[in-house]
PDB file of all heavy atoms in Angstrom:
ATOM      1  N   ARG R 235     -10.028  -6.651   3.596  1.00 85.00           N
ATOM      2  CA  ARG R 235     -10.261  -7.437   4.900  1.00 85.00           C
ATOM      3  C   ARG R 235     -11.704  -7.018   5.436  1.00 85.00           C
ATOM      4  O   ARG R 235     -11.972  -7.362   6.528  1.00 85.00           O
ATOM      5  CB  ARG R 235      -9.315  -6.968   5.921  1.00 85.00           C
ATOM      6  CG  ARG R 235      -7.847  -7.217   5.519  1.00 85.00           C
ATOM      7  CD  ARG R 235      -6.867  -6.973   6.721  1.00 85.00           C
ATOM      8  NE  ARG R 235      -5.355  -7.071   6.291  1.00 85.00           N
ATOM      9  CZ  ARG R 235      -4.466  -7.192   7.093  1.00 85.00           C
ATOM     10  NH1 ARG R 235      -4.721  -7.147   8.423  1.00 85.00           N
ATOM     11  NH2 ARG R 235      -3.167  -7.246   6.942  1.00 85.00           N
ATOM     12  N   SER R 236     -12.482  -6.445   4.617  1.00 82.00           N
ATOM     13  CA  SER R 236     -13.774  -6.032   5.202  1.00 82.00           C
ATOM     14  C   SER R 236     -14.640  -7.114   5.609  1.00 82.00           C
ATOM     15  O   SER R 236     -15.567  -6.873   6.344  1.00 82.00           O
ATOM     16  CB  SER R 236     -14.450  -5.071   4.269  1.00 82.00           C
ATOM     17  OG  SER R 236     -14.773  -5.684   2.961  1.00 82.00           O
ATOM     18  N   ASP R 237     -14.508  -8.249   5.006  1.00 84.00           N
ATOM     19  CA  ASP R 237     -15.428  -9.455   5.270  1.00 84.00           C
ATOM     20  C   ASP R 237     -14.813 -10.384   6.271  1.00 84.00           C
ATOM     21  O   ASP R 237     -15.489 -11.333   6.682  1.00 84.00           O
ATOM     22  CB  ASP R 237     -15.550 -10.216   3.902  1.00 84.00           C
ATOM     23  CG  ASP R 237     -16.853 -11.145   3.911  1.00 84.00           C
ATOM     24  OD1 ASP R 237     -17.873 -10.699   4.573  1.00 84.00           O
ATOM     25  OD2 ASP R 237     -16.778 -12.122   3.371  1.00 84.00           O
ATOM     26  N   MET R 238     -13.698 -10.032   6.909  1.00 87.00           N
ATOM     27  CA  MET R 238     -13.092 -10.865   7.946  1.00 87.00           C
ATOM     28  C   MET R 238     -13.948 -10.737   9.241  1.00 87.00           C
ATOM     29  O   MET R 238     -14.550  -9.776   9.615  1.00 87.00           O
ATOM     30  CB  MET R 238     -11.686 -10.452   8.181  1.00 87.00           C
ATOM     31  CG  MET R 238     -10.782 -10.942   7.097  1.00 87.00           C
ATOM     32  SD  MET R 238      -9.043 -10.479   7.546  1.00 87.00           S
ATOM     33  CE  MET R 238      -8.838 -11.344   9.116  1.00 87.00           C
ATOM     34  N   LEU R 239     -14.094 -11.840   9.939  1.00 86.00           N
ATOM     35  CA  LEU R 239     -14.792 -11.848  11.129  1.00 86.00           C
ATOM     36  C   LEU R 239     -13.936 -11.213  12.304  1.00 86.00           C
ATOM     37  O   LEU R 239     -12.758 -11.373  12.329  1.00 86.00           O
ATOM     38  CB  LEU R 239     -15.074 -13.337  11.671  1.00 86.00           C
ATOM     39  CG  LEU R 239     -15.968 -14.132  10.694  1.00 86.00           C
ATOM     40  CD1 LEU R 239     -16.101 -15.605  11.291  1.00 86.00           C
ATOM     41  CD2 LEU R 239     -17.402 -13.531  10.706  1.00 86.00           C
ATOM     42  N   GLU R 240     -14.698 -10.642  13.221  1.00 86.00           N
ATOM     43  CA  GLU R 240     -13.966  -9.822  14.229  1.00 86.00           C
ATOM     44  C   GLU R 240     -12.979 -10.799  15.072  1.00 86.00           C
ATOM     45  O   GLU R 240     -11.942 -10.428  15.571  1.00 86.00           O
ATOM     46  CB  GLU R 240     -14.889  -9.026  15.116  1.00 86.00           C
ATOM     47  CG  GLU R 240     -14.246  -8.144  16.216  1.00 86.00           C
ATOM     48  CD  GLU R 240     -13.390  -7.143  15.556  1.00 86.00           C
ATOM     49  OE1 GLU R 240     -13.699  -6.706  14.487  1.00 86.00           O
ATOM     50  OE2 GLU R 240     -12.457  -6.740  16.197  1.00 86.00           O
ATOM     51  N   GLN R 241     -13.648 -12.034  15.269  1.00 89.00           N
ATOM     52  CA  GLN R 241     -12.826 -12.941  16.072  1.00 89.00           C
ATOM     53  C   GLN R 241     -11.576 -13.392  15.494  1.00 89.00           C
ATOM     54  O   GLN R 241     -10.427 -13.568  16.110  1.00 89.00           O
ATOM     55  CB  GLN R 241     -13.670 -14.259  16.368  1.00 89.00           C
ATOM     56  CG  GLN R 241     -14.081 -15.062  15.039  1.00 89.00           C
ATOM     57  CD  GLN R 241     -15.005 -16.148  15.346  1.00 89.00           C
ATOM     58  OE1 GLN R 241     -15.857 -16.025  16.168  1.00 89.00           O
ATOM     59  NE2 GLN R 241     -14.924 -17.249  14.715  1.00 89.00           N
ATOM     60  N   ASP R 242     -11.473 -13.467  14.062  1.00 89.00           N
ATOM     61  CA  ASP R 242     -10.338 -13.734  13.391  1.00 89.00           C
ATOM     62  C   ASP R 242      -9.359 -12.571  13.495  1.00 89.00           C
ATOM     63  O   ASP R 242      -8.141 -12.809  13.553  1.00 89.00           O
ATOM     64  CB  ASP R 242     -10.575 -14.081  11.825  1.00 89.00           C
ATOM     65  CG  ASP R 242     -11.367 -15.462  11.757  1.00 89.00           C
ATOM     66  OD1 ASP R 242     -11.042 -16.254  12.572  1.00 89.00           O
ATOM     67  OD2 ASP R 242     -11.978 -15.610  10.711  1.00 89.00           O
ATOM     68  N   ARG R 243      -9.818 -11.314  13.384  1.00 86.00           N
ATOM     69  CA  ARG R 243      -8.937 -10.178  13.497  1.00 86.00           C
ATOM     70  C   ARG R 243      -8.277 -10.249  14.874  1.00 86.00           C
ATOM     71  O   ARG R 243      -6.980  -9.969  14.995  1.00 86.00           O
ATOM     72  CB  ARG R 243      -9.836  -8.850  13.354  1.00 86.00           C
ATOM     73  CG  ARG R 243     -10.414  -8.635  11.958  1.00 86.00           C
ATOM     74  CD  ARG R 243     -11.220  -7.489  11.969  1.00 86.00           C
ATOM     75  NE  ARG R 243     -12.027  -7.303  10.869  1.00 86.00           N
ATOM     76  CZ  ARG R 243     -11.618  -6.635   9.723  1.00 86.00           C
ATOM     77  NH1 ARG R 243     -10.391  -6.098   9.694  1.00 86.00           N
ATOM     78  NH2 ARG R 243     -12.371  -6.632   8.677  1.00 86.00           N
ATOM     79  N   ARG R 244      -9.019 -10.487  15.981  1.00 85.00           N
ATOM     80  CA  ARG R 244      -8.498 -10.609  17.306  1.00 85.00           C
ATOM     81  C   ARG R 244      -7.444 -11.691  17.422  1.00 85.00           C
ATOM     82  O   ARG R 244      -6.392 -11.574  17.940  1.00 85.00           O
ATOM     83  CB  ARG R 244      -9.541 -10.768  18.276  1.00 85.00           C
ATOM     84  CG  ARG R 244     -10.421  -9.582  18.563  1.00 85.00           C
ATOM     85  CD  ARG R 244     -11.119  -9.661  19.774  1.00 85.00           C
ATOM     86  NE  ARG R 244     -12.109 -10.799  19.791  1.00 85.00           N
ATOM     87  CZ  ARG R 244     -13.344 -10.741  19.328  1.00 85.00           C
ATOM     88  NH1 ARG R 244     -13.923  -9.582  19.113  1.00 85.00           N
ATOM     89  NH2 ARG R 244     -14.101 -11.784  19.541  1.00 85.00           N
ATOM     90  N   LEU R 245      -7.777 -12.947  16.753  1.00 87.00           N
ATOM     91  CA  LEU R 245      -6.817 -13.962  16.858  1.00 87.00           C
ATOM     92  C   LEU R 245      -5.522 -13.748  16.163  1.00 87.00           C
ATOM     93  O   LEU R 245      -4.458 -13.992  16.575  1.00 87.00           O
ATOM     94  CB  LEU R 245      -7.388 -15.225  16.195  1.00 87.00           C
ATOM     95  CG  LEU R 245      -6.598 -16.522  16.119  1.00 87.00           C
ATOM     96  CD1 LEU R 245      -6.329 -16.975  17.450  1.00 87.00           C
ATOM     97  CD2 LEU R 245      -7.364 -17.552  15.294  1.00 87.00           C
ATOM     98  N   LEU R 246      -5.616 -13.097  14.929  1.00 85.00           N
ATOM     99  CA  LEU R 246      -4.417 -12.629  14.209  1.00 85.00           C
ATOM    100  C   LEU R 246      -3.539 -11.662  15.044  1.00 85.00           C
ATOM    101  O   LEU R 246      -2.328 -11.762  15.079  1.00 85.00           O
ATOM    102  CB  LEU R 246      -4.784 -11.984  12.806  1.00 85.00           C
ATOM    103  CG  LEU R 246      -5.291 -13.050  11.883  1.00 85.00           C
ATOM    104  CD1 LEU R 246      -5.879 -12.368  10.635  1.00 85.00           C
ATOM    105  CD2 LEU R 246      -4.260 -14.171  11.382  1.00 85.00           C
ATOM    106  N   ASN R 247      -4.279 -10.804  15.680  1.00 81.00           N
ATOM    107  CA  ASN R 247      -3.570  -9.700  16.394  1.00 81.00           C
ATOM    108  C   ASN R 247      -2.859 -10.338  17.758  1.00 81.00           C
ATOM    109  O   ASN R 247      -1.704 -10.010  18.023  1.00 81.00           O
ATOM    110  CB  ASN R 247      -4.491  -8.699  16.874  1.00 81.00           C
ATOM    111  CG  ASN R 247      -3.821  -7.425  17.574  1.00 81.00           C
ATOM    112  OD1 ASN R 247      -2.753  -6.946  17.014  1.00 81.00           O
ATOM    113  ND2 ASN R 247      -4.280  -7.093  18.755  1.00 81.00           N
ATOM    114  N   LEU R 248      -3.544 -11.365  18.375  1.00 82.00           N
ATOM    115  CA  LEU R 248      -3.036 -11.886  19.618  1.00 82.00           C
ATOM    116  C   LEU R 248      -1.884 -12.894  19.259  1.00 82.00           C
ATOM    117  O   LEU R 248      -0.973 -12.984  20.143  1.00 82.00           O
ATOM    118  CB  LEU R 248      -4.189 -12.659  20.294  1.00 82.00           C
ATOM    119  CG  LEU R 248      -5.257 -11.793  21.010  1.00 82.00           C
ATOM    120  CD1 LEU R 248      -6.400 -12.799  21.493  1.00 82.00           C
ATOM    121  CD2 LEU R 248      -4.676 -11.108  22.158  1.00 82.00           C
ATOM    122  N   THR R 249      -1.889 -13.373  18.183  1.00 82.00           N
ATOM    123  CA  THR R 249      -0.672 -14.288  17.670  1.00 82.00           C
ATOM    124  C   THR R 249       0.334 -13.537  16.944  1.00 82.00           C
ATOM    125  O   THR R 249       1.290 -14.219  16.475  1.00 82.00           O
ATOM    126  CB  THR R 249      -1.290 -15.522  17.027  1.00 82.00           C
ATOM    127  OG1 THR R 249      -2.027 -15.038  15.742  1.00 82.00           O
ATOM    128  CG2 THR R 249      -2.262 -16.294  17.795  1.00 82.00           C
ATOM    129  N   GLY R 250       0.192 -12.244  16.672  1.00 78.00           N
ATOM    130  CA  GLY R 250       1.218 -11.661  15.915  1.00 78.00           C
ATOM    131  C   GLY R 250       1.333 -12.090  14.461  1.00 78.00           C
ATOM    132  O   GLY R 250       2.354 -11.954  13.839  1.00 78.00           O
ATOM    133  N   THR R 251       0.227 -12.620  13.867  1.00 80.00           N
ATOM    134  CA  THR R 251       0.279 -13.025  12.472  1.00 80.00           C
ATOM    135  C   THR R 251      -0.531 -12.231  11.499  1.00 80.00           C
ATOM    136  O   THR R 251      -0.803 -12.547  10.382  1.00 80.00           O
ATOM    137  CB  THR R 251      -0.212 -14.534  12.466  1.00 80.00           C
ATOM    138  OG1 THR R 251      -1.525 -14.546  13.045  1.00 80.00           O
ATOM    139  CG2 THR R 251       0.759 -15.437  13.133  1.00 80.00           C
ATOM    140  N   SER R 252      -0.902 -11.052  11.923  1.00 79.00           N
ATOM    141  CA  SER R 252      -1.732 -10.217  11.062  1.00 79.00           C
ATOM    142  C   SER R 252      -0.995  -9.908   9.747  1.00 79.00           C
ATOM    143  O   SER R 252      -1.624  -9.553   8.615  1.00 79.00           O
ATOM    144  CB  SER R 252      -2.066  -8.800  11.699  1.00 79.00           C
ATOM    145  OG  SER R 252      -2.872  -9.025  12.894  1.00 79.00           O
ATOM    146  N   HIS R 253       0.363  -9.708   9.867  1.00 76.00           N
ATOM    147  CA  HIS R 253       1.142  -9.290   8.718  1.00 76.00           C
ATOM    148  C   HIS R 253       1.019 -10.387   7.563  1.00 76.00           C
ATOM    149  O   HIS R 253       1.236 -10.013   6.399  1.00 76.00           O
ATOM    150  CB  HIS R 253       2.570  -9.243   9.131  1.00 76.00           C
ATOM    151  CG  HIS R 253       3.212 -10.531   9.489  1.00 76.00           C
ATOM    152  ND1 HIS R 253       3.879 -11.337   8.634  1.00 76.00           N
ATOM    153  CD2 HIS R 253       3.282 -11.077  10.700  1.00 76.00           C
ATOM    154  CE1 HIS R 253       4.405 -12.320   9.362  1.00 76.00           C
ATOM    155  NE2 HIS R 253       4.024 -12.259  10.656  1.00 76.00           N
TER     156      HIS R 253
END
Side-chain angles (χ1 to χ4, degrees):
R235 303 192 188 189
S236 61
D237 198 36
M238 286 181 57
L239 297 176
E240 187 60 33
Q241 64 186 37
D242 287 334
R243 296 176 189 270
R244 288 196 299 267
L245 178 63
L246 291 170
N247 187 49
L248 289 172
T249 56
T251 52
S252 299
H253 65 92

